[in-house]
Amino acid sequence: MKQFMDEDFMLRNETAKHLFHDYAENLPLIDYHCHISPKEIYENRRYNNIAEVWLGGRNADGTYFGDHYKWRVMRSNAVDEETVTGSADPYDKFVKFAESLEMAIGNPMYHWCNLELKKYFGIDKPLTVETAKEIWDKTQDMLQHDPSLTVRGIIEKSNVRYIGTTDDPVDTLEWHEKIAADDSIKFMVCPSFRPDKAINLHKAGFVDYIKALAASVGKDTLASADEVMDALDERIDFFKKHGCRASDHGIDYIPFRIGTKEEVNAAFAKAMNGEALTKDEIDKYQTAVLMRLAKKYAKEGIVMELHYSCTRNVNARMFAKEGPDTGFDMIAKSSCGDELASLLSALDETDELPKTIIFSLDHNDFNLIGTCMGAFQSTLVKSKVQMGAAWWFLDTRDGMEEQMRSLANLGLLGNFVGMLTDSRSFLSYTRHDYFRRIMCNLIGQWVEDGEYPCIESSLKKIVEGISYYNAEKYFDIK
């Protein structure tokens, strides 16, 4: 029987062990998309206990912090919501999570949590109800006293070189300014432009958001879609001055329906008046804004990330009670391959297609993305259009392997920009380690099966590229 989570965890052949330990394991991390707080980085937050890091709670403004992956595990084990996201005692929350995690055999959450305990706290014992008290006591003591377990200490211990946070266009970026001015912070923290609220004119809060966007550019109001797009351009310039290298779009599906200027402005006016919109009107407005933004990204050298095929807040009762981003989302089935191709083609036609990474939450889209991106590559950038890493519900071993197999079948796996945490937890950097092990095992097996030659220089270039160097070059990190 193989020992649980030893140094060769998930490395099932000798070539995989060599590739991981000699090439992938010790390279720095580029976490180009995450949801961690730049404020907490600057203030070098120290957590009180492991429940606070893992399970979080409510912020002063009523929003949540914490890991909704873990909340879903607890709910599946019939844990009451007061213990999951409410004000229950932190130790009681932790014990209930430990009890739930024991049932999570085959779930990457089981691996992630135990990897975090091992890497950051030196704990080799698996988390169970029986070990919960011992682990609680040790992690609490270390979190409160160990200088390497503040937020900055965790990032440095994780060998992170670059963090791309997720930031709204109206954000002042004050914490990014403070981080950039602090010479004691050796890693890079840069904002990523996330304009979803300006694009989703059919969703709640759009009118108030447009007022906030207007204020961010020194105006009382934005009277048309044209003025919205002008304001977004101005905010991109502001983000660019603060080191922005990527934008991020979380959209239900990829829209593409060209409307006239009058039609787009009419749709905007209806939304501002609180009137119901047709899908045709929504798509025309979203297409116009997305096209305008993409052209600006191309001009400024900003990567465009497209995340789609998620249905959010599907439990109406719990959404009304808990609000968004609390773990009540699911994979959607989106039929927008033609629209994706049309969007890329329209931008390519005028030579205004930015570097683009396409993420779908539906694994059935992997081959679609793989074939679509192959039609829009460039002589200036290797794999300019990328298939994004297995994202959200797909960042399991099976999901990662399927994504990499699809990319290998249809594109150039060796040019892949690799993994991201997409996380709200500062301990989640072990997900890069998890990904690198899975990647090395997959490549190693191909070599051992005689499907790729054992050419050391080629394998080194591929493994180190996927682990680190491809992202460094793609995001222009210097």
Side-chain angles (χ1 to χ4, degrees), residues 447-462:
V447 173
E448 299 229 344
D449 289 345
E451 297 180 26
Y452 189 89
C454 189
I455 301 173
E456 199 67 25
S457 59
S458 298
L459 292 170
K460 181 177 189 291
K461 190 184 302 181
I462 290 169

Side-chain angles (χ1 to χ4, degrees), residues 331-332 360-368 394 399 402-403 406:
I331 294 170
S360 175
L361 202 52
D362 183 355
H363 72 106
N364 292 301
D365 285 347
F366 287 160
N367 287 348
L368 180 152
L394 298 181
E402 184 178 1
Q403 183 268 344
S406 176

Side-chain angles (χ1 to χ4, degrees), residues 14-15 32 67 126 236 240 288 293-294 297 299 375 404 460:
E14 292 306 311
T15 304
Y32 58 87
D67 189 344
I236 290 172
K240 178 77 175 185
L293 288 170
Y297 301 150
K299 180 180 178 181
M404 284 187 280
K460 181 177 189 291

Side-chain angles (χ1 to χ4, degrees), residues 202-232:
H202 58 301
K203 295 190 176 181
F206 180 75
V207 174
D208 289 338
Y209 182 76
I210 294 301
K211 292 177 182 176
L213 181 60
S216 74
V217 293
K219 294 186 175 183
D220 294 329
T221 186
L222 298 174
S224 67
D226 294 317
E227 291 190 9
V228 170
M229 290 183 270
D230 289 342
L232 290 172

Side-chain angles (χ1 to χ4, degrees), residues 51-67:
E52 195 170 86
V53 183
W54 275 0
L55 304 174
R58 282 190 183 271
N59 294 305
D61 63 0
T63 59
Y64 288 103
F65 68 95
D67 189 344

Side-chain angles (χ1 to χ4, degrees), residues 308 336-338 340 364-373 406 410:
Y308 75 97
C336 55
D338 291 345
L340 172 62
N364 292 301
D365 285 347
F366 287 160
N367 287 348
L368 180 152
I369 293 170
T371 53
C372 181
M373 70 184 192
S406 176
L410 299 168

Side-chain angles (χ1 to χ4, degrees), residues 7-227:
E7 66 175 9
D8 295 328
F9 174 57
M10 304 197 86
L11 305 172
R12 299 175 181 173
N13 56 74
E14 292 306 311
T15 304
K17 295 172 187 177
H18 161 56
L19 296 177
F20 178 74
H21 293 304
D22 293 332
Y23 298 141
E25 184 174 19
N26 296 315
L27 284 172
L29 307 184
I30 291 178
D31 198 31
Y32 58 87
H33 173 66
C34 68
H35 298 276
I36 60 175
S37 165
K39 179 177 184 287
E40 292 184 4
I41 295 173
Y42 179 75
E43 294 180 340
N44 201 20
R45 178 176 178 175
R46 181 179 286 280
Y47 291 92
N48 294 306
N49 53 65
I50 190 69
E52 195 170 86
V53 183
W54 275 0
L55 304 174
R58 282 190 183 271
N59 294 305
D61 63 0
T63 59
Y64 288 103
F65 68 95
D67 189 344
H68 51 75
Y69 288 88
K70 294 180 178 67
W71 298 340
R72 288 170 70 98
V73 166
M74 295 172 76
R75 290 171 184 141
S76 295
N77 208 43
V79 178
D80 64 279
E81 198 62 30
E82 182 67 12
T83 303
V84 177
T85 57
S87 57
D89 180 79
Y91 177 68
D92 293 340
K93 288 187 175 190
F94 179 70
V95 171
K96 283 297 184 182
F97 177 68
E99 181 182 292
S100 305
L101 192 66
E102 278 191 77
M103 299 296 102
I105 185 170
N107 190 318
M109 178 60 63
Y110 192 86
H111 293 151
W112 295 342
C113 291
N114 284 289
L115 278 170
E116 290 173 24
L117 291 174
K118 184 172 184 176
K119 179 175 180 64
Y120 298 108
F121 304 99
I123 295 171
D124 290 317
K125 291 182 180 180
L127 176 58
T128 66
V129 172
E130 289 74 25
T131 62
K133 181 63 167 65
E134 177 186 354
I135 289 174
W136 171 268
D137 289 343
K138 181 173 183 178
T139 55
Q140 183 178 46
D141 179 68
M142 291 181 71
L143 284 167
Q144 292 181 0
H145 301 106
D146 190 327
S148 72
L149 289 175
T150 61
V151 161
R152 293 191 201 175
I154 290 167
I155 294 170
E156 290 169 0
K157 189 182 183 75
S158 304
N159 196 19
V160 180
R161 183 180 174 199
Y162 173 87
I163 297 170
T165 59
T166 302
D167 308 273
D168 193 278
V170 305
D171 197 299
T172 63
L173 302 184
E174 61 175 307
W175 301 107
H176 288 89
E177 289 180 355
K178 291 179 178 180
I179 289 169
D182 189 333
D183 291 337
S184 69
I185 300 176
K186 304 303 182 185
F187 48 87
M188 297 173 66
V189 183
C190 296
S192 298
F193 194 74
R194 179 76 176 244
D196 295 0
K197 292 178 181 178
I199 292 177
N200 292 327
L201 80 167
H202 58 301
K203 295 190 176 181
F206 180 75
V207 174
D208 289 338
Y209 182 76
I210 294 301
K211 292 177 182 176
L213 181 60
S216 74
V217 293
K219 294 186 175 183
D220 294 329
T221 186
L222 298 174
S224 67
D226 294 317
E227 291 190 9

